[in-house]
């Protein structure tokens, strides 16, 4: 075939053209300019990708038509097998084309184009079956119809698949050859010649279209390159332009130095003309030989005489370090001899500083200046890799501050932020070269110990952290006391990846917090088992109400002197269909953590009120209220709705709260309780003496009852003088404030006698009854009312 001339897009105008011959056009041979041809190959693959679905539809339609024409003359199973083979090959062909990652503006290798020949051979082979094995069994009219189908399909393939000329030639040539062979065997020599001519025309059409696409793409590339050059030259004359042109000869000396290039260096254009390009950029460091890695990289690129771009290197301009980004392409004369480089440069100092600042913000905490979660995770990943390479160990600590939230809530976030700064300073003073401290967020910190081969040293560091952070802090005339809890995980025992090691340390920290804080725990496999159990329980808990798995049990409360029933305390119970009965000590804290206690608590309140409404009028019902419920904005509306819908008198409902409800937003909790009391509902302070025991709660809130915890009752029954004194004090305090007292956990007659002697008004415990099912509680309430009437 004839050769066509195409200008090299990346070359200067003075350079010669390149040739597009037959082997290069179809992809048998690599082009002279590999960079240019790699962009052309990408456009070929992209064009074929766009027509893949259309070609698939054409093959399937032609196959279906062929089967219809041949079905009266051939067994259906034979045609079915051929149709299945065609569908498979055509579909795979389309999938391979659609899966091509190349876009028209990217790069592809010649091997990517060559491999498409396999697809063309497969498609041509399937269609070659028609003239060689199907047509011999068809009458003349059917054969003519099939021939027409093949002709239309050939034209469609030549036009749509022309970008992949190699695959198209194989497919069309294979089918055309099989038709010619069939006609010759049938003795139709004239028809065979006509088909051969028609096939040749299709091949020429395909090649012509393929060449046209190559020429069009080459022109687009050249136009884009020239537009960029013109744009750069125009910016050369703008006062504020930061880009410049540079050019060297074959010996890498500066030629035709542009004024802007010299200005960027702070030098005169005449003075740098003929100087070594690398010497100009190196400046004073050229004589000493202490040049930057970027400059060494540039020297290697120039030595290889290949195009490069986006190369960043430091340049000293009048004593100030700047950052430049340069790109260039080699130049050749008309004979192809290398004559130097031509390139562009930009000052990217501001962009680099901005990028560095963004990178720092992305990896360092703005409040404390410590590495943030992202930076810590990256550091831990590197430490794990180093430990594995050296057959060593590294450790990860998670630190959570104790009582920090109380500081934030009482003194405000500014004080809390300054406290976090002090904490970070103390932690930083404890770190050595083998440890890195970071802030994960909130009041959580972390330590990466790169060398944890000495487990005792790691444990000692954890104890030191707890000790140092527990010392008082002086801030704005406030003396603050906080502490911390620590969880430790060590590789490879507790995890081989950053993710698993962090999770292990988190589980260990959970154990430390659960133990009351101020301690350090190392990860144990049992912690993972417990965490998985919590996860399973939480998932089941989310469906427990909906599935009707929860019910209430009712424990009697009696008069301390007469033993008569005065009410019941509603106690929540959960029976899972597979896990069986689950202790409230397990699922109630879990419900609070998972923020499920609100819905569960509302169900308890409504259910208890509905049941109590069925009891005699003098029997009260006590319901426990969690801090989460009390701090909910709709709590008052929920109580009001429960009373109105069930018809229960407000005076028969007693809400039991613990001191913990006042630890967060105490004034808000007090206001809510006051509004509940205004409804006529009674209020009881549960577990008094086991928590913070602030008498301020009693003075600010109108409690009707103080409940003495069972731990004091049991200790007093064993003769512990402190417990006896506490109960006496609580009874005296309640009496002076006009409140009643209820002793919990009375299990025998001796404990009952002691409680009576100490003056408790009401008693609750196994001695009078365990928590009862609703039917038994209802029966006891009715019987108690009948006994009262009879008396």
């Amino acid at each position: 075939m004839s050769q066509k001339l195409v200008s090299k897009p990346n070359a200067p105008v003075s350079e010669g053209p390149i040739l597009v011959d037959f082997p290069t056009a179809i992809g048998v041979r690599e082009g002279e300019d590999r960079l240019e041809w790699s962009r052309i190959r990408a456009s070929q693959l992209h064009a074929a990708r766009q027509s893949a679905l259309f070609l698939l539809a054409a093959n399937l339609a032609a196959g279906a038509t062929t089967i219809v024409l041949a079905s009266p003359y051939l067994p259906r199973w034979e045609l079915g097998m051929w149709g299945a083979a065609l569908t498979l090959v055509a579909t795979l062909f389309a999938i391979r084309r659609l899966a091509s990652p190349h876009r028209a503006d990217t790069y592809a290798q010649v091997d990517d184009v060559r491999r498409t020949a396999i697809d063309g051979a497969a498609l041509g082979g399937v269609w070659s079956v028609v003239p060689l094995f199907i047509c011999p069994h068809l009458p003349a009219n059917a054969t003519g119809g099939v021939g027409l189908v093949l002709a239309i399909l050939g034209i469609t393939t030549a036009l749509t698949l022309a970008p992949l000329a190699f695959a198209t030639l194989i497919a069309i040539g294979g089918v055309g050859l099989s038709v010619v062979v069939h006609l010759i065997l049938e003795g139709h020599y004239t028809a065979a010649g006509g088909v051969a001519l028609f096939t040749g025309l299709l091949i020429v059409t395909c090649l012509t279209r393929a060449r046209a696409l190559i020429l069009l793409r080459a022109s687009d590339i050249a136009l884009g390159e020239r537009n960029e050059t013109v744009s750069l030259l125009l910016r050369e004359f703008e006062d504020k332009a930061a880009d410049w042109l540079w050019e060297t000869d074959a010996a890498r000396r500066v030629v035709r130095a542009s004024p802007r290039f010299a200005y960027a260096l702070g030098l005169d254009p005449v003075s740098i003309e003929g100087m070594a390009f690398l010497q100009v950029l190196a400046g004073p460091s050229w004589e000493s030989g202490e040049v930057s890695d970027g400059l060494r990289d540039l020297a290697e690129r120039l030595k290889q005489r290949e195009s490069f771009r986006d190369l960043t290197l430091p340049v000293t301009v009048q004593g100030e370090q700047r950052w430049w980004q340069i790109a260039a392409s080699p130049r050749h004369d008309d004979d192809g001899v290398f004559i130097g480089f031509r390139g562009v440069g930009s000052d990217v100092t501001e962009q680099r500083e901005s990028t560095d600042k963004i990178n720092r913000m992305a990896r360092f905490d703005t409040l404390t200046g410590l590495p943030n979660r992202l930076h810590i995770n990256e550091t831990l990943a590197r430490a794990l890799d180093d430990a594995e390479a050296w057959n060593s160990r590294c450790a990860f600590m998670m630190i959570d501050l104790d009582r920090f939230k109380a500081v934030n809530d009482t003194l405000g976030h500014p004080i809390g932020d300054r406290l976090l700064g002090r904490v970070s300073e103390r932690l930083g003073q404890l770190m050595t070269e083998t440890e890195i401290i970071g802030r994960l967020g909130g009041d959580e910190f972390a330590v990466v110990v790169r060398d944890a081969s000495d487990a005792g040293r790691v444990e000692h560091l954890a104890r030191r952290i707890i000790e140092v952070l527990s010392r008082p802090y002086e801030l704005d005339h406030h003396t603050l006391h906080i502490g911390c809890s620590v969880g430790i995980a060590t590789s490879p025992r507790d995890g081989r990846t950053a993710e698993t090691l962090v999770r292990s340390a988190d589980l260990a920290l959970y154990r430390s917090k659960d133990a009351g804080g101020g301690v350090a725990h190392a990860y144990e496999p049992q912690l993972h088992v417990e965490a998985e159990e919590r996860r399973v329980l939480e998932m089941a808990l989310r469906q427990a109400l909906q599935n009707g798995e929860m019910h209430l049990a009712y424990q009697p409360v009696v008069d301390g002197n007469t033993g008569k029933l005065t009410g019941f305390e509603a106690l929540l119970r959960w029976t899972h269909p597979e896990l069986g009965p689950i202790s409230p000590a397990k699922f109630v804290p879990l419900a609070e953590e998972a923020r499920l206690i609100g819905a569960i608590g509302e169900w308890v309140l409504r259910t208890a009120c509905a049941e109590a409404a069925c009891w005699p009028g003098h029997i009260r019902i006590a319901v426990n209220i969690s801090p989460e419920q009390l701090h909910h904005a709709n709590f008052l509306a929920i109580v009001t709705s429960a009373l109105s819908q069930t018809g229960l008198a407000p005076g028969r409902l007693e809400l039991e709260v613990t001191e913990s409800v006042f630890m967060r937003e105490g004034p808000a909790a007090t206001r809510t309780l006051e509004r509940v009391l205004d409804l006529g509902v009674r209020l009881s302070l549960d577990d008094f003496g086991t928590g913070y025991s602030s008498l301020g709660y009693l003075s600010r809130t109108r409690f009707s009852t103080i409940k003495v915890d069972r731990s004091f009752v049991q200790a007093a029954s064993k003769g512990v003088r402190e417990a006896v004194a506490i109960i006496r004090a609580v009874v005296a305090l309640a009496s002076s404030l006009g409140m009643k007292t209820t002793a919990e956990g009375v299990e025998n007659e001796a404990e009952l006698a002691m409680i009576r002697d100490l003056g408790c008004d009401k008693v609750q415990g196994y001695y009078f009854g365990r928590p009862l099912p609703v039917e038994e509680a209802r029966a006891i309430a009715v019987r108690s009312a009948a006994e009262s009437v009879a008396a």
Side-chain angles (χ1 to χ4, degrees):
M1 57 176 289
S2 62
Q3 295 179 330
K4 184 70 178 178
L5 299 181
V6 181
S7 297
K8 286 184 65 176
N10 291 329
V13 177
S14 61
E15 296 188 13
I18 63 172
L19 298 176
V20 180
D21 52 19
F22 173 73
T24 306
I26 67 174
V28 174
R29 186 173 63 193
E30 179 62 273
E32 180 180 344
D33 189 332
R34 291 192 176 186
L35 181 62
E36 178 183 357
W37 274 100
S38 65
R39 300 173 71 178
I40 294 174
R41 302 299 185 203
S43 66
Q44 289 177 309
L45 292 170
H46 179 69
R49 185 181 189 274
Q50 290 182 309
S51 62
L53 292 179
F54 175 76
L55 189 61
L56 172 62
N59 275 273
L60 295 180
T65 305
T66 301
I67 291 174
V68 171
L69 292 173
S71 59
Y73 311 104
L74 286 173
R76 292 186 177 180
W77 67 269
E78 292 184 3
L79 294 174
M81 290 180 61
W82 176 81
L86 173 64
T87 302
L88 177 62
V89 171
T91 303
L92 289 176
F93 185 93
I95 291 174
R96 284 166 62 87
R97 298 285 64 75
L98 293 173
S100 174
H102 300 292
R103 303 191 310 271
D105 57 347
T106 56
Y107 303 88
Q109 303 301 319
V110 69
D111 289 340
D112 296 330
V113 177
R114 289 173 184 168
R115 281 192 289 269
T116 63
I118 299 175
D119 300 331
L123 198 60
V126 173
W127 277 107
S128 296
V129 171
V130 175
L132 293 178
F133 299 101
I134 294 179
C135 286
H137 302 283
L138 305 181
N141 58 342
T143 302
V146 171
L148 181 60
V149 170
L150 291 176
I152 295 174
L153 181 62
I155 295 173
T156 303
T157 305
L159 293 176
T160 59
L161 202 58
L164 299 181
F166 199 7
T168 308
L169 295 182
I170 293 176
I172 294 176
V175 177
L177 180 60
S178 64
V179 174
V180 170
V181 170
H182 165 69
L183 293 175
I184 291 175
L185 293 177
E186 293 291 329
H188 304 302
Y189 303 108
T190 303
V195 170
L197 179 61
F198 177 73
T199 304
L201 290 175
L202 288 181
I203 291 174
V204 171
T205 300
C206 173
L207 291 174
T208 302
R209 180 167 168 76
R211 266 202 323 274
L213 292 173
I214 291 173
L215 294 173
L216 181 62
R217 179 56 179 157
S219 299
D220 289 341
I221 293 173
L223 182 60
E225 295 287 344
R226 283 165 172 74
N227 285 342
E228 290 182 6
T229 302
V230 170
S231 177
L232 182 60
L233 289 172
L234 290 175
R235 291 202 303 270
E236 176 82 7
F237 295 97
E238 295 178 10
D239 292 338
K240 296 183 180 180
D243 299 336
W244 56 84
L245 294 171
W246 59 270
E247 193 171 341
T248 68
D249 58 15
R252 288 178 279 180
R253 294 186 296 263
V254 176
V255 295
R256 291 187 288 277
S258 69
R260 187 159 297 282
F261 174 52
Y263 174 78
L265 287 166
L267 300 172
D268 183 67
V270 178
S271 65
I272 63 175
E273 186 75 24
M275 286 181 62
F277 182 58
L278 295 176
Q279 180 182 357
V280 172
L281 297 182
S285 64
W286 178 258
E287 298 297 334
S288 64
E290 298 178 357
V291 297
S292 66
D293 292 338
L295 199 63
R296 296 181 190 276
D297 192 8
L298 173 61
E300 186 64 27
R301 302 288 184 89
L302 296 176
K303 181 179 179 181
Q304 294 174 358
R305 298 183 178 181
E306 294 181 354
S307 298
F308 62 89
R309 59 184 302 175
D310 299 336
L311 178 62
T312 304
L313 67 157
V315 178
T316 301
V317 178
Q318 296 180 343
E320 178 186 1
Q321 180 175 311
R322 308 290 295 178
W323 287 93
W324 285 10
Q325 188 174 84
I326 61 177
S329 296
R331 300 184 301 123
H332 300 82
D333 60 16
D334 294 341
D335 297 325
V337 177
F338 173 74
I339 59 174
F341 272 91
R342 175 179 291 155
V344 295
S346 302
D347 189 315
V348 294
T349 305
E350 286 73 19
Q351 296 93 312
R352 185 179 177 90
E353 290 176 351
S354 177
T355 301
D356 290 344
K357 183 178 180 180
I358 292 173
N359 288 336
R360 178 170 180 81
M361 292 176 62
R363 284 173 169 75
F364 287 87
D365 177 51
T366 56
L367 177 63
T368 63
L370 296 176
N372 62 9
R373 182 183 295 272
L374 173 63
H375 194 169
I376 284 293
N377 285 339
E378 293 173 346
T379 303
L380 179 58
R382 288 194 297 269
L384 284 166
D385 292 339
D386 293 342
E388 183 177 1
W390 291 96
N391 195 24
S392 180
R393 292 182 292 181
C394 72
F396 184 74
M397 295 184 189
M398 290 192 70
I399 305 168
D400 188 87
L401 301 183
D402 301 330
R403 300 183 298 279
F404 174 78
K405 191 175 187 308
V407 174
N408 249 357
D409 292 342
T410 55
L411 300 180
H413 290 285
I415 294 292
D417 290 346
R418 291 175 58 191
L419 178 58
L420 289 175
R422 293 285 185 88
V423 168
S424 65
E425 291 174 2
R426 292 188 183 184
L427 287 172
Q429 294 170 357
L430 296 175
M431 298 299 107
T432 66
E433 294 181 355
T434 61
E435 297 104 22
I436 293 181
I437 181 69
R439 182 187 177 209
L440 301 181
D443 59 348
E444 282 192 342
F445 294 81
V447 177
V448 177
V449 183
R450 287 180 287 207
D451 181 11
S453 54
D454 185 355
R457 180 175 169 276
V458 176
E459 294 175 359
H460 175 72
L461 176 61
R463 290 193 297 270
R464 282 283 296 154
I465 289 173
I466 295 173
E467 176 192 347
V468 170
L469 295 191
S470 298
R471 295 172 184 169
Y473 299 82
E474 299 292 337
L475 286 174
D476 289 354
H477 308 294
H478 296 286
T479 301
L480 306 178
H481 295 270
I482 62 171
C484 72
S485 303
V486 180
I488 309 170
T490 305
S491 74
R493 182 193 64 191
D494 304 331
R496 294 181 177 273
T497 65
E499 182 180 357
T500 55
L501 207 62
V502 170
R503 174 170 170 76
S504 297
D506 193 26
L507 292 174
L509 175 63
Y510 187 90
R511 169 63 63 87
S512 299
K513 298 291 286 186
D514 201 38
V519 294
H521 270 93
Y523 172 79
E524 302 169 2
Q526 180 62 26
L527 297 179
H528 184 77
V529 175
E530 293 173 0
E532 181 63 18
E533 181 184 3
R534 284 197 304 271
R535 187 187 68 82
V536 172
L537 280 181
E538 181 180 336
M539 292 176 59
L541 188 59
R542 292 185 181 277
Q543 304 296 325
L545 273 183
Q546 181 179 347
N547 295 340
E549 298 169 7
M550 289 189 168
H551 65 279
L552 296 183
Y554 299 87
Q555 186 170 31
V557 179
V558 302
D559 186 279
N561 295 317
T562 65
K564 291 183 178 180
L565 181 71
T566 62
F568 291 91
E569 180 180 1
L571 301 173
L572 181 61
R573 297 292 182 262
W574 179 23
T575 302
H576 191 272
E578 297 177 2
L579 304 176
I582 300 172
S583 169
K586 274 190 175 182
F587 75 79
V588 171
L590 184 60
E592 291 176 342
E593 287 181 21
R595 299 296 178 90
L596 300 173
I597 198 66
I600 294 175
E602 180 178 350
W603 177 85
V604 170
L605 178 64
R606 293 183 183 277
T607 304
C609 288
E611 175 59 28
C614 303
W615 300 341
H618 69 284
I619 305 296
R620 297 194 183 100
I621 184 67
V623 179
N624 289 283
I625 301 299
S626 74
E628 288 294 331
Q629 287 179 267
L630 191 60
H631 290 94
H632 196 281
N634 294 331
F635 178 71
L636 181 66
I638 291 172
V639 175
T640 305
S641 172
L643 292 173
S644 63
Q645 290 181 4
T646 61
L648 182 69
R652 294 179 59 195
L653 174 62
E654 186 171 80
L655 300 182
E656 295 188 2
V657 298
T658 61
E659 295 167 306
S660 60
V661 302
F662 300 99
M663 296 307 297
R664 186 184 74 182
E665 302 175 10
T670 302
R671 287 193 297 270
T672 301
L673 290 176
E674 286 296 328
R675 298 179 68 182
V676 171
L677 287 169
D678 291 340
L679 297 175
V681 175
R682 295 171 177 267
L683 194 61
S684 173
L685 182 59
D686 198 7
D687 298 338
F688 183 75
T690 61
Y692 296 92
S693 303
S694 172
L695 299 181
Y697 305 147
L698 300 178
S699 64
R700 294 196 303 267
T701 309
R702 294 171 287 155
F703 289 102
S704 60
T705 304
I706 300 177
K707 301 191 75 171
V708 179
D709 188 72
R710 63 189 301 271
S711 62
F712 295 119
V713 174
Q714 291 178 347
S717 68
K718 295 176 182 177
V720 178
R721 289 182 298 175
E722 290 84 359
V724 174
I726 288 174
I727 295 177
R728 279 203 177 101
V730 171
V731 171
L733 177 64
S735 177
S736 65
L737 295 175
M739 303 176 186
K740 300 292 184 181
T741 53
T742 299
E744 295 182 299
V746 176
E747 297 183 354
N748 53 56
E749 191 169 350
E751 292 179 352
L752 174 62
M754 177 199 66
I755 288 300
R756 283 175 174 170
D757 291 341
L758 293 175
C760 287
D761 301 293
K762 293 180 286 186
V763 183
Q764 183 178 350
Y766 286 177
Y767 181 72
F768 292 98
R770 293 176 177 270
L772 304 172
V774 61
E775 295 82 3
E776 295 184 27
R778 190 180 303 165
I780 291 176
V782 173
R783 185 168 63 247
S784 173
E787 291 173 355
S788 298
V789 173

